Structures are given as structure tokens and as C-alpha cells.
Amino acid sequence: MSITLMLMWDYDTPTGFAVSSLSRQADPLSDYACTDRILELLARHGIVSTFACVGVAAESGPLPVHNPAQIRAIHAAGHEVASHSHRHELIPALNRPQLIETGRISKVALEDCIGAEVAGFVPPWNRPFHHPRRLAISTKDLRAGGWHWQHSVSSLCEALAECGYYWVRVLYTPVHEQIARKLWPGRARAIRPTTIDCYSGVYTLRLNYLGYDDQLINWLAAYQGQNIPGQDLALVIYAHPHGIEHRNSQHWEHLARFTRWYSEHKDAYNITFTTPAKWLRRQSAGRLLAHPA
Ligand SMILES: [Zn+2]
């Protein structure tokens, strides 16, 4: 059995901080300084990850709004660059032309910056949560989108396909999981492989975990302990570069411990880090998926 980890960073930059109540007070340069530290640490452990960047940061112009040099450095270090929209827009509040515009202009800005294809999209705030085809009903998205028009995971995919993306990170909670969480709030959530679906030719990667703290290490160790032959676990985890300064599961101490733990156990546990574009290509080569666009 093997464990494949896809670590994603939501590279919000001051454009994202400005619209996020949690980060509005953040130092405008914090994502950049933290990214330098993260890149150095990941390189030391041979870890590849994915940076979902707001498109405007890739455009040329002064700091702190723009930092194309760092996005080029991220790409040059072997990490995948994905779009995090152009200006960190709330997707359920956009109409379809607005959604296609932010998808397109961020993709063009990032591709012009790194000189390579941008295949993935990470929606700000992980919205929409609404995904009726997987029995996930979100009234929060209904309020944001208004009753006249509304996005779901599949309508987002349909718009992203038109922009030329072929993967998207998604977060949703099916009704039966919502009920289970209400009934047993203290119960630890089980780790399970990410769910891959495909709508309009865009693969959805369901998010599994925020951060890389001891709970994740314990989960992975327990999963490995079950030793299910032939079972391959793929997990999508995410954090924010400036999150390494926050006292939560994204903190630098957790990241340093997790990367050390990975280096010590990667061979025995058969753990690899990869990026969605590489992983989807490998799955399609193994005929588990149709070939990505
Ligand atoms: Zn964000």
C-alpha cells in the first residue's frame, strides 16, 4: 500500500487579506516572507507541493500587491502553480461571466508569469460548498449567490472547463456526514482517501485536512498500521503560507515536525508527495481516469 500526499498552499497575498476578516490585519508581506521559509524547508526534504496564487500577484508591479518573481521561484523549484482566482473573489457571489473572467484572467496572468500551463483552480474560501450531486446542500451558498442563480461544484467545473482548467480542489459535506457530526460532535473524523469526480472534463479533488499537525501524523501511522494490500491512499491537505505564524494546525512547528517525520518514515510507509497535475497524469496512464485535457 502507498500514501500519496498533495499539499496545497493558498497564496492569498494582500489582495486576499483585504477581503478576509481573519487576515485583514496581517503584515502585507507575510505571505512572501513565509513562502521563502516554506520553499527552503520543502527543498531540504525533497517535497513538492502546489501554490494556488491570486492572479493579480503574478502581474508585474510593485510589492506588496504584485510579486511575480516569487511565483517564478515557486515554479522553478518544481512546485505546481494553480489559480486562486484573480482577486480572491467569493465564487457563489459571481455570475457566470464574472466567474469565467476571473478564471481566465488569473490563468493568463499566471501562465505569462511562469511560462507554463496552469491546470488547476482552488476557489477562495473553498466555496461553493453546494454539491447536490454528492448530496451536499449548502444554504450558506444560497444566501451568497442569491435565489435567482447559484453555483454548485458541478457548475463551477463547467465554467472552469471553459477557461481551460482540468482540476479543482473542492470542499463539501454530504447530508449524512453533517448529521453524523451533529450527533457525535466529539468523535474524531476518520481519514479516508480523497474523492475524485469529473464534471465537464474537470477533476474534483476533495479536500481532506487543514494543516499538518500530530493528528495527521497519527492518522497516517494508524492507516499504515492496517496494512491493507493494494490500498492506495491519496490525501489533499492545505494551509496558507502566513498560516505558519498562526497558533493552529498550520504553524511552523507542526510543519517542521511533519516534514522531519516524513523524511524518517517515507520509505517504510511508502509515502510520496506529488502535485495534482502529476498525480492525475499518473492515474490516467494507469487507466484509472480518462486522460486529463
Ligand atoms: Zn484564499
Side-chain angles (χ1 to χ4, degrees):
M1 63 186 277
S2 66
I3 297 173
T4 302
L5 299 176
M6 285 176 267
L7 168 61
M8 302 191 188
W9 301 98
D10 290 14
Y11 187 84
D12 287 337
T13 75
T15 301
F17 299 166
V19 291
S20 174
S21 54
L22 286 175
S23 320
R24 211 166 285 148
Q25 309 302 329
D27 172 355
L29 295 173
S30 64
D31 256 357
Y32 306 137
C34 293
T35 293
D36 284 339
R37 293 177 70 192
I38 290 165
L39 290 176
E40 193 274 325
L41 180 71
L42 298 186
R44 222 181 319 135
H45 291 277
I47 293 173
V48 289
S49 65
T50 301
F51 284 76
C53 307
V54 291
V56 78
E59 292 176 343
S60 51
L63 286 167
V65 171
H66 308 280
N67 196 347
Q70 185 166 66
I71 295 175
R72 274 192 287 274
I74 289 168
H75 173 69
H79 303 280
E80 182 170 342
V81 171
S83 167
H84 195 38
S85 82
H86 200 58
R87 296 183 183 275
H88 211 277
E89 291 97 340
L90 177 65
I91 302 296
L94 302 182
N95 62 28
R96 191 170 185 281
Q98 290 169 329
L99 171 54
I100 288 180
E101 187 183 326
T102 193
R104 273 209 180 118
I105 58 174
S106 59
K107 190 173 195 296
V108 168
L110 291 163
E111 288 179 346
D112 283 353
C113 174
I114 62 173
E117 189 192 9
V118 169
F121 188 87
V122 171
W125 297 283
N126 295 308
R127 305 279 290 274
F129 300 142
H130 191 58
H131 192 11
R133 290 163 87 161
R134 278 277 178 189
L135 296 179
I137 311 298
S138 168
T139 50
K140 269 190 185 172
D141 284 344
L142 275 174
R143 280 197 294 274
W147 292 97
H148 58 287
W149 194 88
Q150 192 196 351
H151 285 294
S152 62
V153 166
S154 46
S155 77
L156 172 62
C157 288
E158 193 263 326
L160 293 177
E162 203 166 314
C163 303
Y165 294 97
Y166 67 76
W167 68 261
V168 59
R169 192 184 79 199
V170 295
L171 181 65
Y172 57 87
T173 311
V175 172
H176 54 275
E177 286 181 27
Q178 287 176 19
I179 293 170
R181 283 178 200 177
K182 284 224 169 71
L183 288 177
W184 301 283
R187 191 171 71 170
R189 287 183 209 165
I191 196 166
R192 58 169 79 84
T194 188
T195 309
I196 314 294
D197 289 313
C198 187
Y199 306 103
S200 310
V202 175
Y203 289 96
T204 59
L205 300 173
R206 188 178 172 194
L207 191 54
N208 296 104
Y209 200 71
L210 171 64
Y212 20 63
D213 59 2
D214 288 351
Q215 178 169 260
L216 180 65
I217 291 178
N218 295 338
W219 264 359
L220 295 175
Y223 187 84
Q224 186 61 27
Q226 296 170 17
N227 200 15
I228 309 161
Q231 189 83 348
D232 295 328
L233 176 74
L235 283 187
V236 178
I237 59 183
Y238 90 115
H240 302 81
H242 66 269
I244 64 170
E245 293 181 335
H246 296 191
R247 287 272 155 208
N248 59 28
S249 63
Q250 307 173 66
H251 192 264
W252 175 259
E253 280 174 17
H254 294 305
L255 182 62
R257 194 159 52 233
F258 186 75
T259 51
R260 225 170 24 241
W261 176 86
Y262 161 75
S263 284
E264 287 163 8
H265 294 86
K266 62 182 175 186
D267 295 330
Y269 283 18
N270 200 7
I271 303 177
T272 41
F273 277 90
T274 190
T275 72
K278 281 188 192 151
W279 188 76
L280 288 166
R281 225 173 287 136
R282 210 179 61 209
Q283 301 294 303
S284 61
R287 295 172 187 276
L288 295 175
L289 299 173
H291 187 69

Short mmCIF file of all heavy atoms in Angstrom, two decimals, residues 36-74:
data_model
loop_
_atom_site.label_atom_id
_atom_site.label_comp_id
_atom_site.label_asym_id
_atom_site.label_seq_id
_atom_site.Cartn_x
_atom_site.Cartn_y
_atom_site.Cartn_z
N ASP A 36 9.15 32.09 1.46
CA ASP A 36 10.61 31.85 1.37
C ASP A 36 11.03 30.76 2.35
O ASP A 36 11.81 29.87 2.01
CB ASP A 36 11.38 33.15 1.67
CG ASP A 36 11.34 34.12 0.49
OD1 ASP A 36 11.09 33.68 -0.65
OD2 ASP A 36 11.55 35.34 0.71
N ARG A 37 10.52 30.83 3.58
CA ARG A 37 10.88 29.83 4.59
C ARG A 37 10.36 28.45 4.20
O ARG A 37 11.05 27.44 4.34
CB ARG A 37 10.29 30.21 5.96
CG ARG A 37 10.89 31.45 6.56
CD ARG A 37 10.20 31.79 7.89
NE ARG A 37 10.51 30.85 8.94
CZ ARG A 37 9.86 30.79 10.11
NH1 ARG A 37 8.86 31.62 10.35
NH2 ARG A 37 10.20 29.92 11.03
N ILE A 38 9.12 28.42 3.68
CA ILE A 38 8.50 27.15 3.30
C ILE A 38 9.27 26.50 2.15
O ILE A 38 9.56 25.31 2.17
CB ILE A 38 7.01 27.38 2.92
CG1 ILE A 38 6.21 27.72 4.17
CG2 ILE A 38 6.43 26.16 2.22
CD1 ILE A 38 4.83 28.32 3.88
N LEU A 39 9.62 27.32 1.15
CA LEU A 39 10.34 26.77 -0.02
C LEU A 39 11.67 26.16 0.41
O LEU A 39 12.06 25.09 -0.08
CB LEU A 39 10.57 27.87 -1.07
CG LEU A 39 9.33 28.36 -1.82
CD1 LEU A 39 9.70 29.51 -2.76
CD2 LEU A 39 8.66 27.24 -2.62
N GLU A 40 12.33 26.83 1.33
CA GLU A 40 13.63 26.33 1.78
C GLU A 40 13.46 25.00 2.53
O GLU A 40 14.19 24.03 2.30
CB GLU A 40 14.28 27.41 2.67
CG GLU A 40 15.75 27.22 2.97
CD GLU A 40 15.98 26.31 4.17
OE1 GLU A 40 15.18 26.35 5.14
OE2 GLU A 40 16.97 25.55 4.13
N LEU A 41 12.46 24.93 3.39
CA LEU A 41 12.22 23.71 4.17
C LEU A 41 11.81 22.54 3.26
O LEU A 41 12.32 21.42 3.39
CB LEU A 41 11.12 23.98 5.22
CG LEU A 41 10.76 22.78 6.10
CD1 LEU A 41 11.87 22.46 7.08
CD2 LEU A 41 9.46 23.04 6.86
N LEU A 42 10.89 22.80 2.34
CA LEU A 42 10.41 21.73 1.46
C LEU A 42 11.54 21.22 0.57
O LEU A 42 11.65 20.01 0.33
CB LEU A 42 9.23 22.21 0.60
CG LEU A 42 7.96 22.65 1.34
CD1 LEU A 42 6.84 22.96 0.34
CD2 LEU A 42 7.47 21.59 2.34
N ALA A 43 12.40 22.13 0.09
CA ALA A 43 13.52 21.71 -0.75
C ALA A 43 14.46 20.79 0.03
O ALA A 43 14.95 19.78 -0.49
CB ALA A 43 14.29 22.94 -1.25
N ARG A 44 14.66 21.09 1.31
CA ARG A 44 15.55 20.28 2.14
C ARG A 44 15.03 18.85 2.26
O ARG A 44 15.77 17.90 2.42
CB ARG A 44 15.68 20.94 3.51
CG ARG A 44 17.09 20.92 4.01
CD ARG A 44 17.29 21.54 5.38
NE ARG A 44 16.56 22.75 5.66
CZ ARG A 44 15.92 22.95 6.81
NH1 ARG A 44 15.90 22.02 7.74
NH2 ARG A 44 15.29 24.09 7.03
N HIS A 45 13.69 18.70 2.25
CA HIS A 45 13.10 17.37 2.42
C HIS A 45 12.64 16.76 1.10
O HIS A 45 12.02 15.69 1.09
CB HIS A 45 11.92 17.45 3.39
CG HIS A 45 12.36 17.73 4.80
ND1 HIS A 45 12.79 16.74 5.65
CD2 HIS A 45 12.46 18.90 5.48
CE1 HIS A 45 13.12 17.29 6.83
NE2 HIS A 45 12.94 18.60 6.74
N GLY A 46 12.93 17.44 -0.01
CA GLY A 46 12.53 16.90 -1.32
C GLY A 46 11.03 16.80 -1.49
O GLY A 46 10.53 15.85 -2.11
N ILE A 47 10.29 17.77 -0.95
CA ILE A 47 8.82 17.74 -1.02
C ILE A 47 8.33 18.70 -2.10
O ILE A 47 8.72 19.87 -2.11
CB ILE A 47 8.22 18.13 0.35
CG1 ILE A 47 8.55 17.05 1.39
CG2 ILE A 47 6.71 18.36 0.25
CD1 ILE A 47 8.14 17.40 2.82
N VAL A 48 7.45 18.20 -2.98
CA VAL A 48 6.78 19.11 -3.92
C VAL A 48 5.37 19.39 -3.42
O VAL A 48 4.73 18.54 -2.80
CB VAL A 48 6.72 18.58 -5.36
CG1 VAL A 48 8.08 18.58 -6.01
CG2 VAL A 48 6.07 17.20 -5.42
N SER A 49 4.89 20.59 -3.72
CA SER A 49 3.56 20.99 -3.27
C SER A 49 2.94 21.85 -4.37
O SER A 49 3.47 21.95 -5.47
CB SER A 49 3.66 21.76 -1.94
OG SER A 49 4.35 22.99 -2.14
N THR A 50 1.81 22.44 -4.05
CA THR A 50 1.08 23.26 -5.02
C THR A 50 0.78 24.61 -4.39
O THR A 50 0.34 24.66 -3.23
CB THR A 50 -0.24 22.56 -5.41
OG1 THR A 50 0.08 21.29 -5.96
CG2 THR A 50 -1.03 23.37 -6.42
N PHE A 51 1.05 25.68 -5.11
CA PHE A 51 0.73 27.02 -4.63
C PHE A 51 -0.42 27.56 -5.47
O PHE A 51 -0.27 27.74 -6.68
CB PHE A 51 1.94 27.95 -4.72
CG PHE A 51 2.97 27.71 -3.63
CD1 PHE A 51 3.81 26.60 -3.69
CD2 PHE A 51 3.07 28.57 -2.54
CE1 PHE A 51 4.75 26.36 -2.68
CE2 PHE A 51 4.01 28.35 -1.54
CZ PHE A 51 4.84 27.25 -1.60
N ALA A 52 -1.57 27.78 -4.84
CA ALA A 52 -2.72 28.38 -5.52
C ALA A 52 -2.64 29.88 -5.31
O ALA A 52 -2.83 30.39 -4.21
CB ALA A 52 -4.01 27.82 -4.94
N CYS A 53 -2.29 30.59 -6.41
CA CYS A 53 -1.94 32.02 -6.28
C CYS A 53 -3.04 32.91 -6.85
O CYS A 53 -3.59 32.60 -7.92
CB CYS A 53 -0.66 32.30 -7.07
SG CYS A 53 0.72 31.21 -6.65
N VAL A 54 -3.31 34.03 -6.19
CA VAL A 54 -4.21 35.00 -6.80
C VAL A 54 -3.48 35.57 -8.03
O VAL A 54 -2.29 35.89 -7.98
CB VAL A 54 -4.64 36.13 -5.83
CG1 VAL A 54 -5.55 35.60 -4.75
CG2 VAL A 54 -3.46 36.84 -5.23
N GLY A 55 -4.22 35.67 -9.13
CA GLY A 55 -3.60 36.03 -10.41
C GLY A 55 -2.93 37.38 -10.38
O GLY A 55 -1.87 37.57 -10.98
N VAL A 56 -3.53 38.33 -9.65
CA VAL A 56 -3.01 39.69 -9.67
C VAL A 56 -1.58 39.74 -9.12
O VAL A 56 -0.78 40.58 -9.53
CB VAL A 56 -3.99 40.65 -8.93
CG1 VAL A 56 -3.87 40.54 -7.43
CG2 VAL A 56 -3.83 42.07 -9.40
N ALA A 57 -1.23 38.80 -8.23
CA ALA A 57 0.12 38.78 -7.67
C ALA A 57 1.16 38.44 -8.73
O ALA A 57 2.34 38.77 -8.59
CB ALA A 57 0.21 37.77 -6.52
N ALA A 58 0.73 37.78 -9.82
CA ALA A 58 1.67 37.37 -10.87
C ALA A 58 1.92 38.50 -11.88
O ALA A 58 2.85 38.42 -12.68
CB ALA A 58 1.13 36.15 -11.60
N GLU A 59 1.08 39.54 -11.84
CA GLU A 59 1.25 40.65 -12.78
C GLU A 59 2.41 41.53 -12.33
O GLU A 59 2.68 41.67 -11.13
CB GLU A 59 -0.04 41.48 -12.84
CG GLU A 59 -1.18 40.70 -13.48
CD GLU A 59 -2.52 41.44 -13.48
OE1 GLU A 59 -2.68 42.42 -12.71
OE2 GLU A 59 -3.41 41.04 -14.23
N SER A 60 3.09 42.13 -13.31
CA SER A 60 4.22 42.96 -12.91
C SER A 60 3.71 44.23 -12.26
O SER A 60 2.66 44.76 -12.62
CB SER A 60 5.12 43.27 -14.11
OG SER A 60 4.35 43.76 -15.15
N GLY A 61 4.45 44.68 -11.27
CA GLY A 61 4.06 45.85 -10.50
C GLY A 61 4.74 45.78 -9.15
O GLY A 61 5.43 44.80 -8.84
N PRO A 62 4.54 46.82 -8.33
CA PRO A 62 5.27 46.88 -7.07
C PRO A 62 4.68 45.97 -5.97
O PRO A 62 3.50 45.63 -6.00
CB PRO A 62 5.14 48.35 -6.67
CG PRO A 62 3.88 48.82 -7.34
CD PRO A 62 3.72 48.01 -8.59
N LEU A 63 5.53 45.61 -5.04
CA LEU A 63 5.09 44.95 -3.80
C LEU A 63 4.19 45.92 -3.04
O LEU A 63 4.32 47.11 -3.23
CB LEU A 63 6.31 44.61 -2.93
CG LEU A 63 7.18 43.43 -3.39
CD1 LEU A 63 8.49 43.44 -2.61
CD2 LEU A 63 6.46 42.12 -3.18
N PRO A 64 3.29 45.50 -2.19
CA PRO A 64 3.07 44.10 -1.82
C PRO A 64 1.98 43.42 -2.66
O PRO A 64 1.77 42.23 -2.48
CB PRO A 64 2.60 44.22 -0.36
CG PRO A 64 1.84 45.51 -0.32
CD PRO A 64 2.53 46.43 -1.30
N VAL A 65 1.32 44.15 -3.57
CA VAL A 65 0.23 43.53 -4.33
C VAL A 65 0.78 42.54 -5.36
O VAL A 65 0.19 41.49 -5.59
CB VAL A 65 -0.65 44.61 -5.01
CG1 VAL A 65 -1.66 43.99 -5.97
CG2 VAL A 65 -1.38 45.42 -3.93
N HIS A 66 1.93 42.88 -5.95
CA HIS A 66 2.49 42.04 -7.01
C HIS A 66 3.81 41.42 -6.55
O HIS A 66 4.61 42.08 -5.88
CB HIS A 66 2.75 42.87 -8.27
CG HIS A 66 1.54 43.66 -8.71
ND1 HIS A 66 0.50 43.11 -9.41
CD2 HIS A 66 1.21 44.97 -8.50
CE1 HIS A 66 -0.42 44.04 -9.64
NE2 HIS A 66 -0.02 45.18 -9.08
N ASN A 67 4.01 40.16 -6.94
CA ASN A 67 5.30 39.54 -6.66
C ASN A 67 5.58 38.42 -7.67
O ASN A 67 5.71 37.26 -7.31
CB ASN A 67 5.35 38.99 -5.22
CG ASN A 67 6.76 38.69 -4.76
OD1 ASN A 67 7.70 38.66 -5.57
ND2 ASN A 67 6.94 38.45 -3.47
N PRO A 68 5.64 38.78 -8.97
CA PRO A 68 5.85 37.74 -9.98
C PRO A 68 7.16 36.98 -9.79
O PRO A 68 7.23 35.80 -10.13
CB PRO A 68 5.84 38.52 -11.31
CG PRO A 68 6.08 39.94 -10.95
CD PRO A 68 5.55 40.13 -9.56
N ALA A 69 8.18 37.64 -9.22
CA ALA A 69 9.48 36.97 -9.05
C ALA A 69 9.33 35.76 -8.12
O ALA A 69 9.90 34.70 -8.37
CB ALA A 69 10.51 37.95 -8.50
N GLN A 70 8.53 35.91 -7.06
CA GLN A 70 8.39 34.78 -6.15
C GLN A 70 7.58 33.65 -6.78
O GLN A 70 7.86 32.47 -6.58
CB GLN A 70 7.74 35.20 -4.83
CG GLN A 70 7.72 34.04 -3.86
CD GLN A 70 7.40 34.43 -2.44
OE1 GLN A 70 6.29 34.87 -2.15
NE2 GLN A 70 8.37 34.31 -1.55
N ILE A 71 6.56 34.00 -7.58
CA ILE A 71 5.77 32.95 -8.25
C ILE A 71 6.65 32.19 -9.24
O ILE A 71 6.55 30.96 -9.35
CB ILE A 71 4.51 33.56 -8.89
CG1 ILE A 71 3.61 34.13 -7.78
CG2 ILE A 71 3.76 32.52 -9.72
CD1 ILE A 71 2.38 34.87 -8.27
N ARG A 72 7.56 32.90 -9.91
CA ARG A 72 8.51 32.22 -10.80
C ARG A 72 9.45 31.31 -9.99
O ARG A 72 9.77 30.20 -10.42
CB ARG A 72 9.33 33.24 -11.60
CG ARG A 72 8.60 33.67 -12.88
CD ARG A 72 9.52 34.45 -13.81
NE ARG A 72 9.80 35.80 -13.31
CZ ARG A 72 9.02 36.85 -13.56
NH1 ARG A 72 7.94 36.73 -14.29
NH2 ARG A 72 9.33 38.04 -13.06
N ALA A 73 9.85 31.76 -8.81
CA ALA A 73 10.73 30.95 -7.96
C ALA A 73 10.00 29.68 -7.49
O ALA A 73 10.59 28.60 -7.42
CB ALA A 73 11.22 31.77 -6.77
N ILE A 74 8.72 29.81 -7.20
CA ILE A 74 7.91 28.66 -6.77
C ILE A 74 7.89 27.62 -7.89
O ILE A 74 8.13 26.43 -7.68
CB ILE A 74 6.47 29.12 -6.43
CG1 ILE A 74 6.46 29.93 -5.12
CG2 ILE A 74 5.50 27.94 -6.36
CD1 ILE A 74 5.14 30.67 -4.86
#
